[in-house]
Amino acid sequence: MSDSCYHCGQIVTQNNRVVREIANEQREFCCNGCAGACEAIYDAGLSAFYDNAQKDTQWQPVPIAPKDLAMYDFDEVQGQFVDVSQPVREIVLMAEGIHCAACVWLIEHRLAKIQGVRSAHVNFTTRRIRLRWDNREVLLSSILHVLAELGYPSQPYDAQLSQKALDDYNRGLLYRFAFASFAMMNIMWISISLYFGADDSEYKQFFHWVALALATPTIAYSGQPFFIGAWQALKGRRLGMDVSISLGILTTYFYSLFSTLFPEYGGSVYFDTLVDFMFFLLLGRYLESISKSKAVDATHRLMALQPKIVRQRFDDGQEKLVPVRLLKAGDLVWVHPGERVAVDGVVVEGEGHIDESMLTGESLPIHKRVGDSVSAGTHNQDGALLIQVQHILANSALGRIISLVEEAQATKAPIARTADAVIPWFVSITLSLATFALIYWSITAGLDTAVMAATAVLIVTCPCAFGLATPMAIAVASGVGARLGVLIKHGAVLEQLSNTTHVLFDKTGTLTKGEMSVVAHHTWVDIAEPKLWSCIAGLEGRSSHALAKALMHYAKEKQTSEVQVSGFLDLSGRGVQAEIDGALWQAGSIGWVEELGVALPEAVSLWLAEQAAVGATSVCILCDKVLVATIAVSDVLREDALVVVQALKERGITVGMITGDRLAVAQVFARQLGGMDVQAEILPADKEAAVRALQGDGRVVVFVGDGINDAPALVRADVGIALGSGTEVSVDSAQVVLLNNRLASVLIAIDLSRVTLRTIRQNIAMSLLYNMIMVPLAVAAKLTPLMAAIGMPLSSLLVIGNAARIKRKLQKL
């Protein structure tokens, strides 16, 4: 009998022992769950799982399966996660208990044996299963039951649970960083004491033991992420940064431990260097992890735009608040003024203005009447709308945006870092040289010299400089960028930014200010201008329309007195009217004026055509059915837009515009910017597709946007840049945020990235040069561990000093 569980490897005690006969042999298990999972594996003919599994790896016992699996068979419940309109469905499951590649093999092969399962792919990194099945042949609950039997209880992917897992990991890193910080502050006093004379006193050994007491738990607790990463890398037969970092940490620690235990050998201790190194490494690891968690947060914010409860109208005319997930196609729901639309559907009663900027980028609210389509997440500004449901939740336009964001995040290619390309060879050479020194000097000069030489090689080549080459430059660049209004969320994007070939801009709110304003006006009758603008201010002051707000803002600067307004009427989709000083004043669209039977002279028509040609929207002002004035309202370019576009072109970068606005309007702005590629009337999915179409063949695409509708494109692009004044979703989806809302900061970001990448390469080159000089001395036993320890921080200081020059280098550009 074994003393470990046959399935998971956990220790079996007298209290938890479960014995079952498996393949005519008695097997011991730690619980009934493991025993049941093992029986299911053998019954399915997949006993090869135990041949592929790593016997030296202890797993957790089989998790408890979720209850009420049958509820996932109801379309009302499945509709929250999949498209239930089709018989063949696809879902992402969160699975527990996945520990190694053997688990992946077992799940995929077992599910492939189930009739009705079209495909099953396991992502070992995220512990998620992407499943396609025919709901006519097999129920989802049956598949979940099979997974639970195997020991991998699963349930539909929930972003909130995923966020909780990320939060737990980040909290663990923060605790380890805090522990290393405490140790560093305390061990610093010991270093100061030794430096100022204690090293030659009778207290020297006492201070060494205190340093050992501080360093040991720091290594054991704070160093776990690096040791685990190194172990996983070695199991995967590859060498990475964690391997070299762990090697340097452990070598320095055990040599210092030897010197502390046996002071008669005259060895030196380096516990302070060790703890300091741990502190800075954990700081970088924590900041990197925090930036990754933003992706899930962005998805949460998108989902928050979609109301969870709606007012459903039933056949008997009654209204009742119901959850959105219970709705089905054909149901009727009310959307009152000021509320967000909860579903995709068609207006069957009422009319009003819908702000669709989060989907289309169109700055003007769209007038909706019976027969028009509306989308989930858009904002109803005025008018009560009765909507017939077409799509809900994941199948809505907003749901598809979320899906695009998640897909782009999953398919983004990893960035190849210069340091990672060098480290494997560096570590291999270091190990070879240390082994050579140990063997050679043990034969020619004895074990003491051999150990000192090998230790000197490992210490002098400790990857401090390599470890700091990239993060130090990135840390300085991030600080410089923040002071200049450029927030770089993740240092890895600097490499991509430095190789930029294409920059795509969203129009509304990015190249333009995103605010409607008066750009031209003309008076057609003899009327005092202060009187005119006073009446316009009184007329438009009671409307909430975006055009009215622009007119009101402009009129307030021109008016000289208040006017008495009565009988105000807001005619949705046409304009407004009111009695002012006994006269009927009206303001509205050209179409409405024509409906009123007011003839427009040729001069007026020419003026209106000129404004339309430059992308402006015109408003007609009438007094007692007589045309008094026409006012053109439009969005305007940012002050620095032209300079930025021209500067990008001078750098050899191709510039383009992607917008949901009308083609005529987009082309006007493109001409004002000196010409560029224009893609207009583009929906969010098409924006993402446009970015994806440009990628490849060495092209590096940067997308600059500010709206919710830009989120998929921001994530899909090699680098997404968002304006700080944009929506929270766009800011969270981007890798770079322009805090000062100046487009000129795009140039700063690109220039900063190029300076930073050049600095990183210089740092790596200096580290290699340092090792080319010091390693031969160490191998030749001409360098003691103490001298190596002095040289090691010097290489780091060179790297730090060079990184500190980034701001000065940027100012010279």
Side-chain angles (χ1 to χ4, degrees):
M1 289 289 182
S2 171
D3 60 351
S4 62
C5 178
Y6 179 70
H7 179 73
C8 73
Q10 294 286 326
I11 296 176
V12 176
T13 66
Q14 193 63 37
N15 295 328
N16 68 0
R17 179 176 283 108
V18 175
V19 181
R20 296 279 178 89
E21 184 174 328
I22 305 293
N24 299 322
E25 291 188 40
Q26 295 293 318
R27 301 291 188 184
E28 290 187 348
F29 301 92
C30 67
C31 64
N32 287 311
C34 285
C38 181
E39 289 177 337
I41 291 170
Y42 270 86
D43 290 343
L46 298 172
S47 58
F49 163 74
Y50 293 104
D51 298 328
N52 294 328
Q54 300 172 16
K55 295 298 185 180
D56 59 343
T57 302
Q58 285 191 348
W59 306 341
Q60 294 298 317
V62 176
I64 299 174
K67 297 180 180 180
D68 302 324
L69 293 178
M71 70 176 181
Y72 293 118
D73 293 334
F74 294 101
D75 285 350
E76 291 82 0
V77 177
Q78 278 192 30
Q80 302 176 61
F81 311 103
V82 301
D83 180 3
V84 297
S85 63
Q86 302 296 326
V88 178
R89 303 173 180 180
E90 182 172 320
I91 195 171
V92 177
L93 302 173
M94 295 187 302
E96 296 183 59
I98 297 178
H99 304 285
C100 65
C103 299
V104 176
W105 178 90
L106 174 62
I107 293 172
E108 292 181 347
H109 281 72
R110 178 64 183 93
L111 294 184
K113 290 177 175 289
I114 301 176
Q115 183 177 357
V117 172
R118 295 291 184 262
S119 64
H121 300 289
V122 181
N123 187 319
F124 175 65
T125 303
T126 61
R127 272 65 171 175
R128 296 179 195 168
I129 305 170
R130 183 171 290 275
L131 174 73
R132 291 185 74 249
W133 83 102
D134 192 328
N135 203 55
R136 296 167 299 188
E137 299 182 32
V138 61
L139 296 176
L140 180 59
S141 62
S142 300
I143 301 173
L144 296 177
H145 182 69
V146 170
L147 287 169
E149 282 187 336
L150 291 177
Y152 306 102
S154 306
Q155 55 187 309
Y157 169 69
D158 187 330
Q160 291 184 345
L161 293 178
S162 177
Q163 180 65 37
K164 182 179 182 299
L166 280 173
D167 290 342
D168 291 342
Y169 175 75
N170 291 339
R171 190 180 301 111
L173 277 180
L174 184 60
Y175 288 160
R176 288 180 169 84
F177 170 70
F179 193 92
S181 302
F182 171 80
M184 185 186 72
M185 288 186 291
N186 284 276
I187 208 167
M188 188 182 300
W189 292 109
I190 297 174
S191 301
I192 293 173
S193 300
L194 292 171
Y195 181 80
F196 284 103
D199 194 45
D200 298 325
S201 70
E202 66 273 17
Y203 297 106
K204 172 183 176 180
Q205 196 62 21
F206 169 76
F207 281 123
H208 286 176
W209 280 102
V210 174
L212 172 63
L214 288 169
T216 300
T218 305
I219 295 298
Y221 178 66
S222 298
Q224 272 189 23
F226 307 107
F227 299 143
I228 292 174
W231 174 242
Q232 291 175 343
L234 292 175
K235 285 198 299 183
R237 298 183 179 182
R238 58 185 175 83
L239 295 175
M241 184 69 80
D242 282 340
V243 174
S244 56
I245 287 174
S246 299
L247 179 64
I249 290 172
L250 293 177
T251 302
T252 306
Y253 174 79
F254 282 112
Y255 178 77
S256 300
L257 177 63
F258 176 82
S259 299
T260 302
L261 295 174
F262 305 100
E264 61 271 17
Y265 284 94
S268 300
V269 298
Y270 312 105
F271 293 124
D272 53 348
T273 302
L274 190 62
V275 172
D276 292 349
F277 189 40
M278 189 81 66
F279 169 84
F280 287 110
L281 286 172
L282 283 170
L283 175 61
R285 184 69 59 94
Y286 175 71
L287 294 176
E288 181 177 359
S289 180
I290 286 295
S291 67
K292 291 179 180 177
S293 66
K294 287 294 184 182
V296 175
D297 192 42
T299 306
H300 287 168
R301 295 184 191 279
L302 281 171
M303 269 302 187
L305 291 174
Q306 194 170 38
K308 302 298 185 291
I309 297 178
V310 294
R311 294 182 180 88
Q312 183 177 0
R313 194 183 81 171
F314 294 91
D315 293 338
D316 58 4
Q318 293 186 351
E319 296 181 22
K320 184 179 179 180
L321 291 174
V322 299
V324 173
R325 61 184 177 82
L326 297 181
L327 296 175
K328 59 183 183 298
D331 287 343
L332 298 176
V333 297
W334 278 107
V335 180
H336 291 176
E339 295 180 346
R340 287 195 178 274
V341 181
V343 299
D344 283 3
V346 177
V347 178
V348 296
E349 183 180 322
E351 59 179 310
H353 288 85
I354 299 289
D355 180 3
E356 294 185 337
S357 59
M358 54 81 65
L359 285 178
T360 66
E362 172 61 61
S363 53
L364 282 173
I366 307 299
H367 181 245
K368 299 289 184 179
R369 52 173 62 92
V370 175
D372 290 339
S373 298
V374 295
S375 300
T378 56
H379 185 254
N380 182 21
Q381 293 192 338
D382 53 55
L385 304 175
L386 183 62
I387 299 172
Q388 186 177 53
V389 177
Q390 290 181 325
H391 304 289
I392 64 171
L393 300 173
N395 298 319
S396 66
L398 180 61
R400 290 192 291 274
I401 289 180
I402 295 171
S403 177
L404 284 170
V405 171
E406 291 179 340
E407 180 188 353
Q409 290 168 346
T411 57
K412 186 179 284 294
I415 297 175
R417 299 179 183 176
T418 308
D420 278 344
V422 175
I423 284 291
W425 298 99
F426 174 75
V427 175
S428 300
I429 294 171
T430 297
L431 288 171
S432 300
L433 289 175
T435 303
F436 170 77
L438 181 66
I439 295 174
Y440 176 81
W441 290 111
S442 62
I443 295 174
T444 59
L447 185 59
D448 286 347
T449 302
V451 171
M452 290 298 101
T455 304
V457 171
L458 290 172
I459 290 179
V460 81
T461 56
C462 179
C464 291
F466 274 108
L468 290 172
T470 300
M472 189 64 200
I474 289 175
V476 172
S478 300
V480 171
R483 286 192 292 273
L484 296 175
V486 179
L487 175 62
I488 300 169
K489 291 186 181 180
H490 196 295
V493 304
L494 289 169
E495 182 172 350
Q496 295 286 56
L497 262 178
S498 67
N499 298 319
T500 299
T501 60
H502 291 70
V503 175
L504 301 179
F505 289 96
D506 171 54
K507 181 186 75 68
T508 305
T510 303
L511 287 173
T512 68
K513 293 182 177 180
E515 301 172 356
M516 303 299 292
S517 59
V518 174
V519 293
H521 58 85
H522 195 284
T523 304
W524 303 102
V525 297
D526 186 16
I527 184 173
E529 192 161 302
K531 168 70 174 176
L532 170 66
W533 290 109
S534 295
C535 291
I536 292 175
L539 181 62
E540 300 288 5
R542 301 190 181 188
S543 174
S544 60
H545 195 279
L547 286 175
K549 292 178 181 178
L551 292 174
M552 181 65 185
H553 179 75
Y554 188 83
K556 274 194 171 184
E557 298 177 354
K558 301 286 187 178
Q559 74 177 108
T560 56
S561 61
E562 299 285 341
V563 294
Q564 294 297 321
V565 179
S566 62
F568 175 82
L569 183 61
D570 190 339
L571 302 172
S572 182
R574 297 174 177 84
V576 295
Q577 67 181 37
E579 292 281 343
I580 301 177
D581 295 338
L584 176 64
W585 282 79
Q586 296 168 302
S589 64
I590 301 171
W592 184 40
V593 170
E594 292 174 343
E595 286 180 15
L596 293 174
V598 178
L600 298 178
E602 183 179 353
V604 175
S605 298
L606 289 174
W607 189 91
L608 294 173
E610 290 175 358
Q611 300 308 316
V614 295
T617 300
S618 294
V619 178
C620 298
I621 308 297
L622 307 178
C623 180
D624 290 332
K625 299 295 182 68
V626 176
L627 182 66
V628 174
T630 49
I631 306 172
V633 180
S634 177
D635 204 349
V636 294
L637 286 172
R638 290 178 179 268
E639 291 81 358
D640 54 354
L642 178 60
V643 175
V644 170
V645 170
Q646 294 301 325
L648 288 172
K649 291 179 179 179
E650 291 172 1
R651 286 167 167 78
I653 297 173
T654 302
V655 183
M657 178 196 300
I658 301 182
T659 178
D661 217 338
R662 292 167 294 161
L663 178 61
V665 175
Q667 288 176 334
V668 168
F669 285 110
R671 287 194 296 269
Q672 293 176 8
L673 292 169
M676 63 173 65
D677 296 331
V678 175
Q679 297 184 58
E681 301 176 27
I682 298 294
L683 295 176
D686 298 324
K687 283 188 178 183
E688 185 270 345
V691 172
R692 178 158 31 91
L694 269 180
Q695 292 174 319
D697 297 329
R699 291 187 290 268
V700 178
V701 180
V702 173
F703 184 84
V704 187
D706 75 318
I708 293 173
N709 60 305
D710 297 325
L714 285 168
V715 178
R716 172 63 69 182
D718 295 292
V719 179
I721 300 179
L723 297 178
S725 60
T727 63
E728 291 187 17
V729 173
S730 66
V731 169
D732 285 342
S733 298
Q735 294 89 34
V736 178
V737 180
L738 307 183
L739 299 174
N740 54 16
N741 300 314
R742 294 176 59 243
L743 278 185
S745 296
V746 173
L747 300 175
I748 294 176
I750 293 175
D751 290 342
L752 180 62
S753 68
R754 293 176 176 177
V755 170
T756 303
L757 261 293
R758 187 162 59 246
T759 301
I760 289 174
R761 294 189 182 101
Q762 291 171 351
N763 288 346
I764 292 175
M766 286 191 295
S767 300
L768 288 173
L769 180 62
Y770 159 81
N771 283 285
M772 289 173 63
I773 297 173
M774 301 297 283
V775 172
L777 293 175
V779 173
K782 301 297 184 183
L783 201 66
T784 66
L786 178 59
M787 296 169 62
I790 295 174
M792 181 178 64
L794 286 178
S795 64
S796 299
L797 288 175
L798 287 174
V799 167
I800 293 171
N802 190 46
R805 297 173 56 239
I806 287 178
K807 182 178 180 181
R808 194 176 309 158
K809 295 176 183 177
L810 183 64
Q811 292 173 341
K812 292 180 179 179
L813 294 179

